[in-house]
Amino acid sequence: MAVAAVLRAVGPDDVAFVGTPRGLEARLVSEAGVRFFGLPAKGFDRSKPLSLLVAVAVLGVSAVRAVGLLARFRPNAVLGFGGYVSIPVGIAAVVCRVPLVLHEQNSVPGLANRLLARWSRAVAVTYEDSAGYLARSAQVVVTGNPVRAEVLASGRDQGREMLGVPGDATMLLVFGGSRGARHINDVLARYAGRLTDLRDVYVVHIAGRDEAASVRERVGGLGVDPVRYQVLEYIDEMGSALAAADLVIARAGATSIAEITALGRPAVLVPYPYATDDHQTTNARTVEEAGGALLVADSALDGPEFIEAVTDLLVDAGTRATMAAASKSLGHPDAAERVASLVAEAASGQGRIDWEKT
């Protein structure tokens, strides 16, 4: 939605979003005042050939519907962000000769962007190394991953006031996505007492709607002060929570890393071990190699090294400051504007591809 906000601000009469009708985006896009069109899309399990046939059939039907959608509304350009729903919309863009621009959030591009890259005007990427996975590598542009304007505008004092954390305290923020991350939740709940025994350390743990109640019960059972260790289901003002934090523990999804680095926060990144092509580990390694994060494998969470590393960082402001600067150097706060610029260029005919030669 960050790119949509930029495009709407600079001139296009209309911006529409196409996504899966039952996905989270259906609600978020509508709440943002952007027109939403739902198209079914289905992934597949490589170990189950029948699931591939079903997925192809669903995507084929959606591609026909997408062609009708584009023929009806005649957009100046199509921007795809990956995901299975991008495949039928991207195919429709090619069929209707509508300029196609792609954005790849992760270090290892997904199937949709690898498939569609050969027909795109440009592929915006977060990581330079992504170019090696994509056709037409000369069309790849490093833009970073767009971050919402409200996240970029967030401030530490505002976040501390919202969360009830003293300004001079050391705040640890823990989150694992909208549904939480069970293994991270379990380990942090186990060590809640050890964390809050540290002087002036406050923990804000966003455990997810499915997990928060059980995490809160476990932490409460340890006799931990609920003011010093807050367990929340979800938070809408994620930017404010990040801005308030001195250290972050999180999965290594593309959006999380984009927001963490845009605000320059030191982090302990725990990649989701079942992500496709293990792309979260590759995402996290880039931040670790730059000095902005510590990468901890999910399998290592239960070992003593993890909590020792976390407590060491919480009491070492100097190391956190160094990591924060490195994290900030990786951030791309202007990523949305960069991607929007590529879309505008494609829509105006600049850099036009000769389709007969592709």
Side-chain angles (χ1 to χ4, degrees):
M1 295 310 298
V3 178
V6 173
L7 289 171
R8 295 174 79 188
V10 299
D13 294 329
D14 197 8
V15 176
F17 188 100
V18 180
T20 53
R22 296 183 181 179
L24 179 63
E25 66 264 23
R27 176 178 64 84
L28 297 178
V29 170
S30 298
E31 289 177 355
V34 175
R35 280 201 298 174
F36 179 85
F37 297 98
L39 283 180
K42 191 174 182 63
F44 62 93
D45 185 338
R46 296 178 185 180
S47 66
K48 299 178 181 178
L50 182 59
S51 71
L52 174 60
L53 294 177
V54 173
V56 170
V58 172
L59 291 174
V61 172
S62 289
V64 173
R65 291 178 57 184
V67 167
L69 189 64
L70 268 59
R72 177 183 173 190
F73 290 101
R74 301 176 62 84
N76 298 103
V78 167
L79 173 61
F81 283 97
Y84 288 109
V85 76
S86 290
I87 296 176
V89 181
I91 291 172
V94 175
V95 169
C96 297
R97 301 180 66 83
V98 177
L100 174 64
V101 176
L102 303 174
H103 181 274
E104 178 55 55
Q105 301 181 79
N106 290 300
S107 50
V108 181
L111 173 64
N113 282 343
R114 293 201 305 268
L115 174 67
L116 295 170
R118 67 185 70 251
W119 295 296
S120 66
R121 301 294 173 92
V123 183
V125 297
T126 302
Y127 304 97
E128 187 174 357
D129 291 346
S130 300
Y133 296 89
L134 299 166
R136 301 188 60 86
S137 58
Q139 297 287 331
V140 173
V141 181
V142 179
T143 62
N145 194 15
V147 174
R148 293 169 295 152
E150 54 266 35
V151 172
L152 297 174
S154 301
R156 175 185 172 90
D157 292 343
Q158 169 195 356
R160 294 279 172 128
E161 182 178 356
M162 176 188 74
L163 295 166
V165 175
D168 58 352
T170 300
M171 177 182 146
L172 171 65
L173 175 66
V174 183
F175 66 94
S178 60
R179 291 190 172 185
R182 177 166 294 177
H183 197 187
I184 293 176
N185 287 345
D186 288 345
V187 173
L188 266 293
R190 185 189 316 157
Y191 290 114
R194 180 168 174 179
L195 292 170
T196 52
D197 281 344
L198 298 172
R199 182 177 179 182
D200 294 328
V201 168
Y202 283 65
V203 181
V204 176
H205 185 164
I206 305 171
R209 293 189 174 98
D210 296 337
E211 300 263 329
S214 63
V215 172
R216 191 177 294 115
E217 181 178 358
R218 290 178 60 187
V219 172
L222 296 174
V224 173
D225 181 355
V227 174
R228 295 277 307 280
Y229 197 113
Q230 298 183 52
V231 181
L232 307 176
E233 292 184 4
Y234 183 76
I235 187 168
D236 289 321
E237 300 84 1
M238 193 63 197
S240 296
L242 280 168
D246 294 298
L247 180 67
V248 176
I249 297 176
R251 290 297 193 192
T255 298
S256 295
I257 288 180
E259 294 179 348
I260 288 168
T261 57
L263 294 178
R265 292 297 176 264
V268 177
L269 299 175
V270 186
Y272 178 59
Y274 306 111
T276 305
D277 296 322
D278 197 24
H279 68 260
Q280 287 204 8
T281 295
T282 308
N283 292 351
R285 188 173 294 119
T286 299
V287 188
E288 182 185 52
E289 289 176 350
L294 175 65
L295 191 164
V296 177
D298 188 84
S299 59
L301 284 179
D302 294 300
E305 295 83 3
F306 167 70
I307 195 62
E308 288 173 5
V310 171
T311 54
D312 286 347
L313 286 172
L314 286 171
V315 299
D316 189 345
T319 297
R320 293 199 312 271
T322 300
M323 292 174 66
S327 174
K328 187 75 171 179
S329 72
L330 292 176
H332 292 277
D334 61 346
E337 287 78 8
R338 292 186 181 193
V339 176
S341 177
L342 291 176
V343 175
E345 290 176 7
S348 67
Q350 297 181 39
R352 190 174 296 278
I353 290 174
D354 183 349
W355 298 105
E356 301 303 323
K357 296 182 180 180
T358 61

